[in-house]
Amino acid sequence: MIFYAIQPGNPQAHLFTVTMRIAHPDPAGQLLRMPAWIPGSYMVRDFARNVVSLTAQCGGEPLAVAREDKSTWRCAPCDGELQVEYEVYAWELSVRAAHLDTTHGFFNGTSVFLEVVGQAERACQVDILPPRGEAYAHWRVATSLSLAGAAPYGFGAYRAEDYADLVDHPVEMGEFSLASFEAGGVPHDIVITGRHQADMPRLCADLQRICEHHQHFFGLPAPMSRYVFLLMVTADGYGGLEHRASTALLSSRKSLPRPGAATVTADYRELLGLCSHEYFHTWNVKRIKPAAFVPQDLRAEQHTRLLWAFEGITSYYDDLALVRCGLIQPESYLELLARVLSRVQRNPGRFKQNLADSSFDAWTRFYKQDENAPNAIVSYYTKGTLVALCLDVLIRQCSEERYSLDDLLRLLWQRYGCSPQGSAGVAETAIEQAVEELLGEAHSARVQAFFAHALRSTANLDMESALAYLGVRLQWTAPRHQNDWGGYTASPVPEAAPQSSLGVRAVAAQGFAKISHVYADSSAARAGLAAGDLLVAVDGLQARANTLEATVAAYPVGTHVVLTAFRRDELISLTAELQAAVPSAARLSWLAVHRERSRRWLGLDA
Ligand code: ZN
């Protein structure tokens, strides 16, 4: 057993104090290592950089410690119990790291707990201690770590099976709101930190429907004995990270349901979609996982070409589940789907990077996006969602509606999630083979062609046909403004004349339009406008971020306009020949046919 104790030693200075006791240290000198990354977020973050003042003792005597590499410390040989003490600076308000002040503490184990190299398989005990002082007398603890002496929601002793388990249960402490519900016989908690006025009973009731949906989707019993949603609310936060029995979420205050309101606002729908996404990961990625992540190596990047399946399929089902469990209307779901279609369509980067490469390069590209990202990369979340939808249609078509993508997921769950033989993880080609298996040899060629096209080429997906199969019409229109991501329309939209566009994204700055992105081959790109330019005038008229595209749309296609901008502190003048806007706003409406397929797809017959 490895013993850890963690205490918010100095909340004002954002410092956790961690002590460790290792009964049997390596006689050659114990190595201690901090993870370089946190599972679920594929970027090297080097958490060791937040460790300050690490000291070691052996038998009460100070012991020398030296750095081995950026993440590793080597203690001098120690004959007896090794004790280590260090502080961790915690001032990153994100679901991936640690955050501490006088109002609350939050940490992921990957940010605060050193691994005892060579002893990662040993069970761990962690004493979670309160900050010193009366001001903290009402603080509680929320985590999915197993109790080992601590009272529920109390400070005290918790336990983990091994190091991987220890770092897969984030911990929140403070005076949070807490509500509980049961789903499929499993106790669930929702813990909210940050000021809010949420309708907690409604949140519980809605989350319960989502949780029960996912549990039934994969088949009972659920693979965890309890589950915790840890939600931090701020003015405009957004993010989530999945764990084996919990999730850490960051959301905007306005996304919470207000007492007395019965509708699902667009903001609340976004929060429900986020919760649905992270909960789906309990099966898809936490238990059905890529073989490339087995064993998990937190020292450096682990590459897989399968993130389209683990993130894309999860993203497909997160919103689809909301309509299937009756929380949103089918039209509301189509609005969400239109956004995904538009986001993929707007970025020319989809012609430069295929989905398999997008996954492989997540570490240095998706997670390190710069101003050129829309022109250079494609997202395995958004395009992955569309591939999941096309795959769903392919399975339905080939099996004459006997099977759907749901059946593929259940097959993967049986094979990799609940069987011990599956713990080696999903090999890089295994999902494609599983689809061939499900559909039989007669469809092998078609399945192989589908994956070659969808994952390993940059050609457009035939979304029009896939959606038509499901009874949905897809039309493309020019976006009306830069945040026009399409939507649902009750009737088909009439064809419109081409409309001029600069092809940029801009943010308001000093009353003008600061260019954040220039789309490849757009009017602006050809004129030489660049990200970072402060566009002050178009054809002598003041440029403003929110009206920029509408201003330009008033000119006929082919017009030459003068763009006046500051690049750094130099005023420049460029001439743009206005091109027609790329039709990249998806409009979805119902077709008069295939209604029974739509209903089956959206779970409306159940
Ligand atoms: Zn995800």
Side-chain angles (χ1 to χ4, degrees):
M1 181 90 87
I2 311 283
F3 287 90
Y4 295 84
I6 181 163
Q7 182 175 36
N10 191 344
Q12 287 87 349
H14 322 299
L15 291 170
F16 282 107
T17 305
V18 183
T19 56
M20 296 171 67
R21 287 189 285 125
I22 304 146
H24 305 288
D26 184 342
Q30 183 62 53
L31 291 176
L32 302 168
R33 187 161 59 215
M34 203 56 120
W37 59 284
I38 178 168
S41 183
Y42 307 109
M43 187 170 111
V44 169
R45 295 174 194 275
D46 290 329
F47 295 113
R49 69 197 158 87
N50 290 319
V51 174
V52 285
S53 62
L54 183 144
T55 58
Q57 288 191 350
C58 182
E61 294 298 318
L63 191 70
V65 184
R67 295 304 298 268
E68 185 88 353
D69 62 33
K70 65 173 182 176
S71 298
T72 316
W73 287 255
R74 182 185 289 278
C75 302
C78 162
D79 185 18
E81 185 181 79
L82 172 64
Q83 296 169 358
V84 178
E85 180 169 337
Y86 55 97
E87 290 181 316
V88 178
Y89 180 66
W91 194 237
E92 182 185 326
L93 191 58
S94 91
V95 296
R96 304 150 176 156
H99 189 256
L100 174 65
D101 63 12
T102 55
T103 68
H104 90 124
F106 169 81
F107 64 81
N108 283 289
T110 38
S111 283
V112 297
F113 295 130
L114 284 164
E115 178 189 341
V116 180
V117 175
Q119 302 192 33
E121 306 299 321
R122 280 185 196 262
C124 304
Q125 181 178 314
V126 52
D127 291 341
I128 303 177
L129 306 171
R132 283 178 217 93
E134 266 308 295
Y136 306 103
H138 299 293
W139 276 30
R140 295 188 286 178
V141 174
T143 177
S144 53
L145 276 169
S146 300
L147 299 171
Y153 314 111
F155 287 94
Y158 290 80
R159 151 179 73 223
E161 285 166 28
D162 52 25
Y163 182 76
D165 190 34
L166 176 69
V167 299
D168 203 13
H169 301 274
V171 174
E172 174 68 38
M173 56 179 81
E175 294 184 47
F176 44 72
S177 312
L178 167 68
S180 302
F181 61 92
E182 222 173 72
V186 178
H188 288 61
D189 291 325
I190 165 94
V191 170
I192 305 185
T193 303
R195 290 187 204 177
H196 70 91
Q197 315 279 331
D199 180 344
M200 297 295 278
R202 180 169 177 211
L203 190 55
C204 281
D206 291 348
L207 287 179
Q208 183 183 37
R209 279 159 84 167
I210 294 169
C211 295
E212 285 179 348
H213 170 274
H214 291 0
Q215 291 184 3
H216 287 281
F217 181 96
F218 285 101
L220 296 175
M224 62 293 195
S225 57
R226 59 182 297 237
Y227 192 87
V228 185
F229 291 92
L230 296 175
L231 171 59
M232 172 77 170
V233 296
T234 62
D236 54 5
Y238 182 79
L241 195 59
E242 66 276 9
H243 298 281
R244 63 184 70 181
S246 61
T247 176
L249 307 162
L250 186 63
S251 159
S252 74
R253 193 166 288 117
K254 64 183 190 299
S255 296
L256 291 166
R258 295 211 187 99
T263 55
V264 175
T265 62
D267 292 316
Y268 183 40
R269 184 180 62 182
E270 183 181 79
L271 173 63
L272 292 175
L274 178 64
C275 293
S276 174
H277 181 98
E278 304 307 340
Y279 197 73
F280 198 88
H281 274 317
T282 310
W283 291 263
N284 194 34
V285 96
K286 293 311 299 185
R287 289 173 177 83
I288 309 169
K289 49 183 144 188
F293 292 174
V294 183
Q296 197 97 71
D297 182 354
L298 298 179
R299 286 174 296 182
E301 294 87 345
Q302 286 188 300
H303 297 283
T304 172
R305 291 184 170 81
L306 289 179
L307 291 180
W308 71 270
F310 293 100
E311 290 301 345
I313 291 179
T314 300
S315 298
Y316 174 56
Y317 280 110
D318 58 18
D319 290 337
L320 189 56
L322 300 186
V323 66
R324 285 185 177 179
C325 65
L327 285 170
I328 63 171
Q329 293 301 308
E331 291 73 23
S332 177
Y333 173 66
L334 291 190
E335 188 181 310
L336 294 170
L337 186 57
R339 277 188 206 191
V340 179
L341 288 156
S342 303
R343 286 186 184 279
V344 173
Q345 192 79 359
R346 198 148 311 170
N347 290 355
R350 74 185 191 282
F351 297 123
K352 302 284 185 193
Q353 188 186 47
N354 67 40
L355 212 46
D357 289 345
S358 168
S359 170
F360 193 87
D361 285 333
W363 302 83
T364 49
R365 307 203 67 187
F366 185 80
Y367 271 96
K368 294 187 178 178
Q369 296 187 32
D370 62 13
E371 67 288 339
N372 195 46
N375 298 324
I377 68 169
V378 70
S379 159
Y380 50 81
Y381 284 91
T382 50
K383 190 176 174 187
T385 302
L386 302 186
V387 168
L389 186 148
C390 291
L391 180 58
D392 196 0
V393 168
L394 180 81
I395 296 172
R396 286 164 193 267
Q397 268 181 328
C398 291
S399 69
E400 292 171 353
E401 294 279 320
R402 262 184 69 213
Y403 301 123
S404 71
L405 187 63
D406 303 9
D407 297 286
L408 178 73
L409 269 286
R410 285 190 272 266
L411 188 152
L412 295 174
W413 172 242
Q414 291 302 324
R415 192 165 289 176
Y416 299 99
C418 27
S419 107
Q421 295 92 324
S423 59
V426 182
E428 295 285 292
T429 53
I431 293 177
E432 296 173 42
Q433 284 160 3
V435 177
E436 284 189 56
E437 236 174 90
L438 187 70
L439 297 177
E441 217 171 302
H443 299 285
S444 279
R446 187 167 169 196
V447 169
Q448 288 168 15
F450 170 82
F451 282 114
H453 178 89
L455 305 181
R456 291 179 282 278
S457 92
T458 55
N460 273 326
L461 296 165
D462 187 359
M463 296 311 304
E464 286 82 354
S465 302
L467 286 163
Y469 178 86
L470 297 168
V472 177
R473 177 189 295 107
L474 164 60
Q475 294 173 283
W476 292 108
T477 64
R480 297 191 200 104
H481 49 83
Q482 66 174 4
N483 290 319
D484 178 0
W485 302 106
Y488 165 78
T489 61
S491 48
V493 289
E495 199 145 325
Q499 165 190 308
S500 290
S501 165
L502 270 184
V504 296
R505 292 191 67 74
V507 294
Q510 301 165 54
F512 301 106
K514 185 163 179 110
I515 305 300
S516 59
H517 301 85
V518 177
Y519 292 107
D521 298 324
S522 63
S523 314
R526 290 182 185 190
L529 201 65
D533 288 349
L534 183 69
L535 184 62
V536 297
V538 175
D539 193 30
L541 296 170
Q542 183 174 359
R544 295 178 191 274
N546 56 349
T547 55
L548 183 59
E549 287 293 359
T551 304
V552 172
Y555 294 86
V557 172
T559 309
H560 288 78
V561 295
V562 174
L563 308 176
T564 313
F566 277 104
R567 179 165 299 167
R568 301 179 298 279
D569 61 347
E570 299 175 11
L571 191 67
I572 57 172
S573 180
L574 305 164
T575 302
E577 180 180 352
L578 295 178
Q579 302 174 48
V582 178
S584 64
R587 309 286 166 195
L588 298 179
S589 52
W590 298 114
L591 288 167
V593 293
H594 306 321
R595 296 298 292 155
E596 74 296 339
R597 286 187 199 153
S598 314
R599 294 184 63 79
R600 208 175 298 133
W601 171 48
L602 299 172
L604 301 178
D605 289 329

